[in-house]
Amino acid sequence: NVTDILYCKADDNYTEIYLENKKILVSKTLKYFEDALFNFSFARIHKSYLVNVNEIVKYRKGKGGSVVVSNGKELLVSASKKKDLLAYF
């Protein structure tokens, strides 16, 4: 279920999909998932991360900053993606 996804992480031509209690490795690129999840609340926050904005619990300021998702993991936000992320809030 799409709402169970916390975030996706690029790993070359694979994508690691992080759910609440597990990780799934899929042989598709992060760009594939960015396009597939376009109509849902997902934001590309870095070349390596696609995050479910509904799972973000904190944003830490900085050049790009970082976000903390509901499982406590902190993910970097690139400076070039910061504006797109903040548009969700």
Side-chain angles (χ1 to χ4, degrees):
N1 190 347
V2 172
T3 57
D4 293 339
I5 299 172
L6 301 179
Y7 64 95
C8 301
K9 180 181 177 187
D11 185 7
D12 284 328
N13 289 325
Y14 293 89
T15 299
E16 298 172 359
I17 299 174
Y18 288 83
L19 307 174
E20 188 67 42
N21 298 326
K22 65 180 178 176
K23 174 177 80 170
I24 302 169
L25 184 64
V26 182
S27 62
K28 300 226 182 268
T29 63
L30 191 60
K31 175 69 174 147
Y32 171 86
F33 287 102
E34 182 179 11
D35 294 340
L37 299 171
F38 179 77
N39 292 326
F40 299 93
S41 297
F42 282 81
R44 185 78 178 254
I45 61 167
H46 189 276
K47 66 178 180 152
S48 299
Y49 294 111
L50 181 67
V51 68
N52 182 343
V53 294
N54 297 318
E55 296 294 331
I56 295 174
V57 294
K58 186 185 286 187
Y59 173 73
R60 294 195 171 126
K61 291 182 180 180
K63 183 176 180 182
S66 63
V67 294
V68 177
V69 291
S70 60
N71 69 349
K73 178 77 173 163
E74 185 171 353
L75 309 173
L76 291 176
V77 177
S78 69
S80 62
K81 303 286 186 185
K82 180 179 178 179
K83 184 179 176 185
D84 296 338
L85 172 66
L86 295 179
Y88 276 93
F89 302 106

